[in-house]
Amino acid sequence: MNRSKPFPYLLIAPAVLLFAVFTAYPIVASLLLSFQKKVGATYEFVGLDNYVRLLNDSIFWQALENTFIIFIFQVPIMLFLAMCLASLLNSQLLKLKGFFRVSFFLPAVTSLVAYSLLFSIILQDNGILNTIVGVFGIGPIPWLSDPFWAKVSIIIAMIWRWTGYNMVLFLAALQNVPEEMYEAASIDGAGKIRQFFSITIPSLKPILLFAGILSTIGTLQLFDEPFNLTQGGPADSTMTLGLYIYENGFEYFDFSYGSAVAYVVVVLVAILSFIQFKFTGDKS
Amino acid sequence: MKTKQLIGKVGMYVFLSLFLVVSIFPFYWMLIGSTNSSDKMFAFPPTLLPGGEFWTNLSNLDASVGIWRVLFNSLYVSGLYVVLALAVSTMAAYAFAKFEFRGRNVIFTIFILSMMIPYQATIIPLFQMMTDYGLLNSYFSLIAPQLCYPFAIFLMRQNFVAFPTELLEAARLDGAGEWRIFTSIVLPSMKPALAATSIFLFMYQWNNFMWPLVAIRTPEMYTFPVALSTLSGVSFTDYGQMMVGISIATIPIMIFFLALQKHFVSGMLGSAVK
């Protein structure tokens, strides 16, 4: 290690400078903005006015509720599916592992806008998915035109997009679990399902926390999908906090109010990440 | 016992195959859609084979959004971004990994913690900043804000940490300057890590949507995601051309991924797993 010479400072200078201007400053500025209001051409401090307004804003509460409903269903289902897939792909009995792994990961390389639009076509009332479920005598289901099903559609689309991504995370972690643990469990008479719950899940704990927090941040900022798949509708049933920030900031140009909503998201991410840290009980 | 095992094995393949179909089918439908006319996608019974309308759809798409210009914008912005962001993050990561200096841990921690802050909390002041300096609707406004990308720094740092410090010491004893050690000894051995980080950065910029949607005001500056999203929402949507657009946004990255999937996966994972 090299001490107190200018070289390392030169190396970090561009990153620090860019970070200060384009990340640190905006984070602070939008916090300040959330306590201000535009009066004429200037901004004035108005204390908590924007936050008080939030409390009485039914669309905000709707957006908060929608975001949470999507979060509560999408994240656990996706992580559980990803764990199942990862433990199957980790099994020594399976052939064509590489093929399955690559195929399951493919959705994760598509752009959020592209897959949202793709799903908006698949999920039309007379689209291919209704044709397919129609073969089994179901439907047609109003995927995008009914408040309940519109949320389901977003959840399904997100599960499609992200399960393979999380599966690869878990798969990498599972490779560090010695095969002998499973063999010993087998000899002790533990079935496959028992092994999944008492070996696979515990050994995935640290990476589960990582994936959980990533998904929390992602879901709370949810924007591309509702913007392109459902346009927040019908009747605000898929309005999310991310979409509401955009609408306030760049459709009504109410920067202060938009910033207040953004800071609600910041606080929620902090709280939920903290809970997950506690929940997984990882002391490091 | 034998039959039970067999049932388990069959069950496993059935489950995986089912999931395989679900994963792949939307891509197949994208190809069907981009080679057929719009109404074929909604016909009953559905058309399940590729048709001959690809070129018609492509020229319709070009008429709607000027696809070649959009493609150029996206490639230019993503390409330039990768080169610059890679330089910024590689340099910073090397400093964080191999030097001790005052403020190192504090700065690194701030970078890492900032990854937890939702991007939307920065977007309004960024917009005001770009407006104030007359930089809205420019390539600069698309490239600059995310040049310091903490995840890339984190990723590169993990790789530099693994580089043997003794080699650096030996080069210093031989009288090599710090910059030369960095560029001609350390960097050449980092090619896999650089490749992984580049892929990651490229995907990030290529797929970026909310900020370009806000920062770009005129169609000739649109990037792919923004151009695609303008195709929906109008009274009549031509799904054939939309499918061609989705294909052009998706297929190059998919090929890229299939060709480089080992780097890709390790790039995505970083060393979060270790």
Side-chain angles (χ1 to χ4, degrees), chain A residues 3 30 95 111 160 221 228, chain B residues 13 22 100 120-121 207 229:
Chain A
R3 284 175 185 279
S30 71
K95 295 195 174 66
S111 93
W160 180 82
Q221 315 191 55
N228 290 295
Chain B
Y13 279 103
V22 173
E100 252 172 46
Q120 287 148 357
N207 293 337
S229 86

Side-chain angles (χ1 to χ4, degrees), chain B residues 67-143:
Chain B
I67 195 64
W68 304 116
R69 172 77 198 193
V70 168
L71 190 61
F72 168 79
N73 289 341
S74 263
L75 283 174
Y76 180 75
V77 167
S78 306
L80 197 57
Y81 173 77
V82 170
V83 174
L84 296 175
L86 194 63
V88 169
S89 43
T90 304
M91 278 162 49
Y94 180 54
F96 285 128
K98 287 294 173 197
F99 292 88
E100 252 172 46
F101 53 92
R102 195 175 294 187
R104 180 181 77 163
N105 293 338
V106 176
I107 299 172
F108 189 67
T109 310
I110 291 175
F111 279 6
I112 297 302
L113 281 181
S114 78
M115 290 198 278
M116 304 263 299
I117 304 267
Y119 189 53
Q120 287 148 357
T122 65
I123 211 161
I124 288 173
L126 274 178
F127 179 81
Q128 290 178 313
M129 192 195 293
M130 294 298 170
T131 314
D132 289 348
Y133 291 95
L135 291 166
L136 221 53
N137 206 33
S138 66
Y139 290 128
F140 177 89
S141 69
L142 292 182
I143 294 170

Side-chain angles (χ1 to χ4, degrees), chain B residues 32 160 258:
Chain B
I32 300 299
F160 282 128
L258 291 173

Side-chain angles (χ1 to χ4, degrees), chain B residues 118 188 237:
Chain B
T237 307

Side-chain angles (χ1 to χ4, degrees), chain B residues 34-35 52-60 68 244:
Chain B
S34 61
T35 54
E53 298 294 312
F54 177 78
W55 298 108
T56 320
N57 287 335
L58 183 65
S59 64
N60 289 340
W68 304 116
V244 172

